[in-house]
Amino acid sequence: MRADDGEGLLVGYVTGPAAATEATVMALARADAARTVVLVEGVSDQIAVETLAGRRGRDLAAEGIVVLPIGGAHGVARYLRRFGPEGTCARLAGLCDAGEAHIVSRGLAAAGLDPAGFFVCTEDLEDELIRAAGPARVTEVLAAHGDLHAFRTIQRQPAWRGKDEAAQLRRFFGAGAQRKLRYARLLTEAISLDRIPQPLDALLSAV
């Protein structure tokens, strides 16, 4: 990792062991007055959405839009109530992993909300970003940020040797304290705007 990556890439975001909880608290402080609340599972999703917005010249805060990482899909019903018709009456949108789509659907149905504006990633957002960029481009980004050697080490491990490279990359991004967060931004920046993953692209277009 380049020496300036951690501080520079993640400035303004919560990191560390308590990141999931603290990020939710920080976003909630702004969300109660928001016109639109975008519910995402974690901080890496928040980073990707906000990074893409910046690339498109949008200032979400100025537009009254808050991206709220909720610490996993199981808490979605609570936030749908808080910000839906029973709460602040904000416009709601969201992004979730395929494995949690049924939880989000159930929460929307219970709250009587239209699922329009909520989008599902194939597997997860990391999978979407890797496929959109392509493994060759991803390894270029790894090399540029000093992580290619560490990735090659994982590829040589018996459990991962010979596996699909996209699966190896997902495993790599899931390991390490800040790696998933850093590459949520780096990959979103590296993908050309005409190849942005459909769920991420659709979400930002919907708000």
Side-chain angles (χ1 to χ4, degrees):
M1 182 178 78
R2 291 192 324 205
D4 61 340
D5 270 2
E7 181 179 352
L9 290 174
L10 301 179
V11 63
Y13 293 101
V14 179
T15 62
T21 301
E22 292 176 7
T24 302
V25 171
M26 284 181 60
L28 281 173
R30 297 177 284 113
D32 282 327
R35 177 181 63 82
T36 300
V37 177
V38 179
L39 304 177
V40 297
E41 292 191 47
V43 180
S44 62
D45 306 299
Q46 177 191 15
I47 291 171
V49 172
E50 293 177 349
T51 298
L52 179 58
R55 289 190 67 193
R56 289 186 168 164
R58 295 184 61 179
D59 183 339
L60 297 185
E63 295 177 38
I65 301 171
V66 171
V67 183
L68 174 63
I70 62 175
H74 287 279
V76 71
R78 176 167 68 254
Y79 296 109
L80 290 172
R81 290 192 299 270
R82 178 165 177 167
F83 298 108
E86 298 178 13
T88 67
C89 294
R91 182 182 180 187
L92 290 165
L95 187 72
C96 71
D97 298 345
E100 281 70 46
H102 66 289
I103 299 171
V104 175
S105 295
R106 187 166 62 238
L108 288 166
L113 293 169
D114 191 328
F118 285 79
F119 303 92
V120 180
C121 294
T122 301
E123 298 297 337
D124 53 28
L125 185 56
E126 287 70 35
D127 171 69
E128 294 277 2
L129 292 171
I130 290 165
R131 286 189 293 106
R137 178 66 177 127
V138 176
T139 55
E140 288 177 2
V141 177
L142 291 174
H145 293 272
D147 284 324
L148 185 56
H149 177 73
F151 173 59
R152 297 303 187 206
T153 299
I154 280 185
Q155 287 185 302
R156 290 193 296 268
Q157 292 176 354
W160 289 97
R161 191 179 302 140
K163 299 283 188 181
D164 177 74
E165 191 171 18
Q168 294 171 334
L169 286 164
R170 286 181 65 209
R171 167 67 179 84
F172 180 73
F173 292 137
Q178 298 181 356
R179 191 176 291 157
K180 185 174 182 178
L181 307 186
R182 290 171 55 236
Y183 281 96
R185 177 170 177 180
L186 289 170
L187 293 182
T188 303
E189 289 176 336
I191 298 167
S192 63
L193 287 174
D194 62 350
R195 292 186 58 83
I196 294 296
Q198 189 276 334
L200 183 58
D201 180 65
L203 171 65
L204 199 57
S205 297
V207 298

